[in-house]
Amino acid sequence: MDIIQGQHDWQSLYKEHVAVLMERLQQSLLENEFDSVLIYSGTSSVAFRDDNPYPFKANPHFKHWLPLPEQPGCMLWITPEKKPKLFYLQPKDFWHAVPPEPEGFWLNEWDINIVHSVSEIRQQLAIDWNTMAFIGETTEELFDWPIQHINPNSLLAHLEYNRAYKTAYEQQCLRMANRRAVKGHNAAYQAWHSGKTELETHCAYLMACQLRESQLPYDSIVAFNDHSAILHYDHYLTSATTEMKSFLLDAGAVYNGYIADITRTHCAGESHVFSELIQALDLAQQKLISEIEPGMSFVYLHERMHEAIAILLNQFEIVNLPVEQIINNEITHVFFPHGLGHLIGVQTHDIGGWQKDTNGTMFESPSKHPFLRLLRPLDIGVATTIEPGIYFIPMLLKTLRESEHAKWVNWSLIDTLCGFGGIRIEDTVIINHQGTENITRDAFTLVSEIDFSL
């Protein structure tokens, strides 16, 4: 789907989205013997012994229904076959900016009730508390509510399993989030290339995305040189780098509460072996994506990527063993220690990747791949990241250096590559009847003047 035009198109997509969620919810409530559900957006917690709140993160079950990712204190009361109600909090407050009047393409699908306090919501609820399920955090404001069923596991399992299947509206939100993040990636690359610090590069990303740091879906990884070997590096040095070698940027964005999660790795010298390794891993990632078919096991894909990385380790003479022996001796795990990808949606690591069914039965984690976040098949409508990496991590290399396989490793080359840190390339794909739609690659091609105001 190309960039949709105007309010009407968003209204149509959103109306279909709500209808699908309502159908899923009706089945979930029926199977779990509930009549309705009350979903709380959440509240901003304050730091211990302080009055300064942490950045607000909305309940993902709330965001799944409504594009209000920054609205604390709101509630949804949803009863099948009735128009769902939104209790929209507008506190009487002169210290802070009060949320504006609700507006947007989503309004027609909701019965909107403006309230000035969370306690006011209870006064307007005509609920049988015995047959209502509550989803969200239980805060001090809710302590005296007669809630009987708080976050019932069986209901959550049903809803979270189905959340992997993205509606057309959700898919478009993911596309738009990727296009926003691509603007940031392009700006950050220019900042790094012009000699900016990690912090300055991070700020360039924020400015291009037009997002505050608290609005990012996760802490950006802005890693120069050997910092790229720290998988979740987020320190942002303020001093200039004396020698520019490499740059790994893992940074996302949000659109209507939906998340982009993109990683790119760059090399300062195009003729260097590290640059060639980036290109080779990029090609291997794209080849793997081209082979994805509906119903394919993600564990199988992960193992195929290990095979591809074994080929690269052999091809670049990093490990001087036949490919089969590199795989059988699990040497690739030293260089690619994390999982190939994860579900993505209203959460960066969208929940449900380990679930086998709507009952909450979990897949057993493969002993060889303990960090794999996605174990279920890639069915049609599922959105997932594909993010292989090759890293030169001192702690893991030390283990390899002390092993029986050390004599087959090109340590002089590895010592050089350690200064570059590592490589990760991450795209988001959506599984469809034809195979996959790589919305991240499309975003790098399509991003230009996009209106993010809708």
Side-chain angles (χ1 to χ4, degrees), residues 64 88 95 111 136 153 158 175 186 262 324 361 403 411 421:
H64 197 206
Y88 185 86
W95 290 100
D111 176 8
N153 289 331
H158 205 284
R175 293 185 189 98
N186 290 341
I262 302 174
E324 185 176 354
T361 308
S403 75
W411 290 110

Side-chain angles (χ1 to χ4, degrees), residues 113-140:
N113 301 263
I114 304 294
V115 296
H116 304 298
S117 67
V118 174
S119 61
E120 193 178 326
I121 298 175
R122 181 179 173 183
Q123 299 168 13
Q124 299 188 30
L125 288 173
I127 281 182
D128 180 350
W129 297 95
N130 293 312
T131 60
M132 183 274 296
F134 176 88
I135 296 178
E137 58 181 320
T138 52
T139 63
E140 186 175 350

Side-chain angles (χ1 to χ4, degrees), residues 203-215:
C203 291
Y205 181 90
L206 294 175
M207 287 297 296
C209 290
Q210 291 293 285
L211 294 170
R212 301 189 309 275
E213 188 168 63
S214 62
Q215 293 174 307

Side-chain angles (χ1 to χ4, degrees), residues 97-369:
V98 175
E101 291 295 311
E103 62 178 1
F105 58 84
W106 53 273
L107 291 179
N108 291 342
E109 306 308 313
W110 293 89
D111 176 8
I112 300 175
N113 301 263
I114 304 294
V115 296
H116 304 298
S117 67
V118 174
S119 61
E120 193 178 326
I121 298 175
R122 181 179 173 183
Q123 299 168 13
Q124 299 188 30
L125 288 173
I127 281 182
D128 180 350
W129 297 95
N130 293 312
T131 60
M132 183 274 296
F134 176 88
I135 296 178
E137 58 181 320
T138 52
T139 63
E140 186 175 350
E141 297 167 301
L142 307 176
F143 280 165
D144 63 343
W145 290 34
I147 300 171
Q148 302 297 311
H149 307 284
I150 300 173
N151 300 319
N153 289 331
S154 57
L155 179 63
L156 290 181
H158 205 284
L159 297 175
E160 290 168 351
Y161 179 84
N162 284 325
R163 208 167 77 205
Y165 303 105
K166 302 298 185 283
T167 64
Y169 163 77
E170 293 180 279
Q171 292 181 27
Q172 187 62 17
C173 289
L174 287 170
R175 293 185 189 98
M176 296 298 279
N178 271 262
R179 291 163 191 171
R180 170 173 270 163
V182 162
K183 284 193 169 186
H185 272 260
N186 290 341
Y189 172 80
Q190 292 299 327
W192 167 72
H193 199 261
S194 64
K196 301 297 185 183
T197 66
E198 288 177 344
L199 179 60
E200 290 169 330
T201 300
H202 172 61
C203 291
Y205 181 90
L206 294 175
M207 287 297 296
C209 290
Q210 291 293 285
L211 294 170
R212 301 189 309 275
E213 188 168 63
S214 62
Q215 293 174 307
L216 295 178
Y218 57 90
D219 288 343
S220 298
I221 297 167
V222 184
F224 294 178
N225 301 347
D226 60 335
H227 293 163
S228 303
I230 302 171
L231 297 184
H232 285 173
Y233 174 83
D234 58 0
H235 281 275
Y236 313 148
L237 291 187
T238 58
S239 57
T241 303
T242 55
E243 183 180 4
M244 193 164 63
K245 292 183 177 181
S246 63
F247 171 35
L248 185 151
L249 177 64
D250 185 339
V254 292
Y255 190 85
N256 288 346
Y258 285 81
I259 290 167
D261 182 1
I262 302 174
T263 310
R264 289 294 183 269
T265 308
H266 308 280
C267 183
E270 302 231 342
S271 61
H272 195 278
V273 64
F274 188 78
S275 176
E276 296 173 4
L277 191 57
I278 293 173
Q279 296 173 40
L281 183 62
D282 185 80
L283 289 173
Q285 186 234 31
Q286 291 306 291
K287 183 177 185 299
L288 187 74
I289 290 174
S290 71
E291 296 171 355
I292 294 176
E293 296 179 355
M296 186 172 282
S297 162
F298 199 78
V299 178
Y300 167 76
L301 280 176
H302 179 73
E303 291 176 341
R304 284 294 308 275
M305 195 68 241
H306 272 278
E307 293 172 8
I309 288 173
I311 292 172
L312 296 182
L313 294 175
N314 173 275
Q315 176 184 330
F316 281 81
E317 299 181 349
I318 296 171
V319 180
N320 296 308
L321 280 173
V323 170
E324 185 176 354
Q325 290 187 38
I326 294 174
I327 295 169
N328 291 341
N329 292 316
E330 300 184 13
I331 296 174
T332 55
H333 294 255
V334 172
F335 299 92
F336 178 38
H338 61 73
L340 178 63
H342 50 81
L343 296 178
I344 189 167
V346 290
Q347 292 176 287
T348 305
H349 299 146
D350 221 351
I351 204 162
W354 294 309
Q355 276 187 243
K356 187 178 292 187
D357 52 39
T358 57
N359 295 324
T361 308
M362 297 292 183
F363 284 99
E364 185 177 344
S365 182
S367 59
K368 288 185 179 181
H369 312 296

